[in-house]
């Protein structure tokens, strides 16, 4: 070796994350599941797990933590996911001379109530997919409080103002609940003239022991002596049971008013105005598909305001 040539001294250099591993992290963050992320990337569960472990070694810490609903990003993971989104965007822009790829694509998962899903989400998504045919939406129907850990879900629609952390909560609008009875039921048992007379009739509503949303307790609060007739966790069962004459139903006006065989009972007394809220993870809202679905839900809710409130002619 030439004595004038200084010897090469290797200095420790931090490992650089593999861009492909960053994209795998992004897929896991969006789905909350290794298996779902692997399916979207054409990888098996073991490979996803191994690449996440390699990424965490390169980052020098945990990028994911197991939550109640699946895998969630840590603070370090959120920073890595932001970089991954830049990588994703750069890859999409490689073919700059071709038609741009539609970013509103892939699967968006929503948790929402039965009525909102049918009346707002379904038509909103149908319209959105006419513009973005690569979009797919999965809906989980539940009536509950907002989750604190929502891995595997991109959007939640809940009744009542949610208390959430590390998420955005946006009020979509309001809807009205009222008491309804079938015309045949009224012909047989008479129209109640006041709250005392309503109390003598059976109630069609949610299963009391399974109701998780305090804002939906109005019947038990307004007419506490009303006995249950037919109870269900599904609002469409409430509507059909009321139409069948099972009792007086406490129903969303936007569903009940669609049926001419239902009559509203004491509308000046029973008019419970409740808010719909949209909850979305901050990292999920940066995804074009999630942002597009959220915007479509807000627009549809605003357009249906009078129907939701039971004042549309």
């Amino acid at each position: 070796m030439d004595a004038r040539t200084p010897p090469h001294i290797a200095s420790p250099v931090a490992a650089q994350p593999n861009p492909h591993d960053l994209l795998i992290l992004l897929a896991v963050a969006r789905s909350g599941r290794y298996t779902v992320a692997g399916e979207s990337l054409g990888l098996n569960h073991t490979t996803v797990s191994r690449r996440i472990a390699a990424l965490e070694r390169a980052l020098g810490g945990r990028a994911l933590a197991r939550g109640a609903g699946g895998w969630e990003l840590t603070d370090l993971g959120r920073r890595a996911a932001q970089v991954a989104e830049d990588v994703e965007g750069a890859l999409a822009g490689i073919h700059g001379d071709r038609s741009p790829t539609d970013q509103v694509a892939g699967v968006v998962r929503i948790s929402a109530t039965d009525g909102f899903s049918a009346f707002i989400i379904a038509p909103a998504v149908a319209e959105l997919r006419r513009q973005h045919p690569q979009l797919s939406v999965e809906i989980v129907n539940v009536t509950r409080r907002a989750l604190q850990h929502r891995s595997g879900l991109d959007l939640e629609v809940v009744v009542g103002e949610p208390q959430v952390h590390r998420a955005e909560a946006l009020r979509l609008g309001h809807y009205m609940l009222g008491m309804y009875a079938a015309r045949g039921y009224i012909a047989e048992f008479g129209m109640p003239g006041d709250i005392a007379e309503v109390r003598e009739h059976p109630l069609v509503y949610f299963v009391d022991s399974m109701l998780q949303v305090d804002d939906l307790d109005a019947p038990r609060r307004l007419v506490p002596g009303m006995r249950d007739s037919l109870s269900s966790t599904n609002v469409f069962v409430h509507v059909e049971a009321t139409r069948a004459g099972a009792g007086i139903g406490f129903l969303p006006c936007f569903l009940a008013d669609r049926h001419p065989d239902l009559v509203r009972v004491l509308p000046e007394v029973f008019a419970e105005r409740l808010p719909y809220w949209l909850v979305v993870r901050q990292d999920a809202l940066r995804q074009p598909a999630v942002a597009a679905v959220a915007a479509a839900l807000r627009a549809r809710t605003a357009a249906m305001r009078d129907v939701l409130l039971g004042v549309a002619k």
Side-chain angles (χ1 to χ4, degrees), residues 12-236:
V13 178
Q16 293 297 315
N18 185 318
H20 185 240
D21 293 346
L22 287 170
L23 294 177
I24 293 175
L25 174 69
L26 192 59
V28 174
R30 288 172 174 172
S31 66
R33 299 283 191 277
Y34 281 5
T35 51
V36 176
E39 289 171 2
S40 69
L41 298 171
L43 304 173
N44 60 40
H45 174 277
T46 303
T47 301
V48 172
S49 178
R50 186 174 68 251
R51 297 319 310 164
I52 291 297
L55 176 63
E56 290 181 330
R57 287 195 298 272
L59 294 174
R62 296 297 303 274
L64 292 167
R66 187 181 290 279
W71 292 99
E72 295 193 344
L73 292 170
T74 63
D75 289 339
L76 176 62
R78 274 187 285 276
R79 294 196 296 272
Q82 291 176 4
V83 175
E85 289 173 347
D86 293 337
V87 172
E88 185 181 55
L91 291 174
I94 287 177
H95 304 293
D97 56 338
R98 300 182 184 179
S99 299
T101 302
D102 187 358
Q103 294 298 303
V104 181
V107 179
V108 175
R109 295 177 179 85
I110 307 175
S111 167
T113 62
D114 302 304
F116 189 91
S117 297
F119 191 73
I120 299 295
I121 298 178
V125 169
E127 178 63 29
L128 189 60
R129 287 198 72 260
R130 292 187 180 95
Q131 306 168 47
H132 307 285
Q134 298 306 310
L135 174 68
S136 177
V137 175
E138 297 177 354
I139 305 173
V140 179
N141 289 135
V142 289
T143 302
R144 65 186 178 197
R145 302 184 186 92
L147 299 174
Q148 293 303 322
H149 303 282
R150 56 192 57 81
S151 288
L153 286 174
D154 299 301
L155 300 166
E156 283 184 281
V157 177
V158 297
V159 176
E161 184 173 1
Q163 302 297 320
V164 294
H165 304 289
R166 293 178 177 173
E168 298 285 343
L170 309 169
R171 189 171 67 190
L172 291 170
H174 291 82
Y175 76 106
M176 192 72 73
L177 284 161
M179 289 288 193
Y180 287 83
R183 294 184 185 277
Y185 180 90
I186 291 172
E188 183 174 358
F189 299 102
M191 171 68 83
D194 54 30
I195 293 179
E197 291 184 5
V198 170
R199 192 176 291 119
E200 297 173 1
H201 292 264
L203 173 68
V204 176
Y205 198 51
F206 285 104
V207 180
D208 189 29
S209 61
M210 300 179 68
L211 188 59
Q212 301 181 32
V213 181
D214 293 340
D215 287 18
L216 291 172
D217 70 348
R220 277 87 186 194
R221 172 167 42 84
L222 297 173
V223 277
M226 210 171 176
R227 69 186 185 278
D228 289 332
S229 166
L230 189 151
S231 304
S232 172
T233 57
N234 188 305
V235 71
F236 290 102

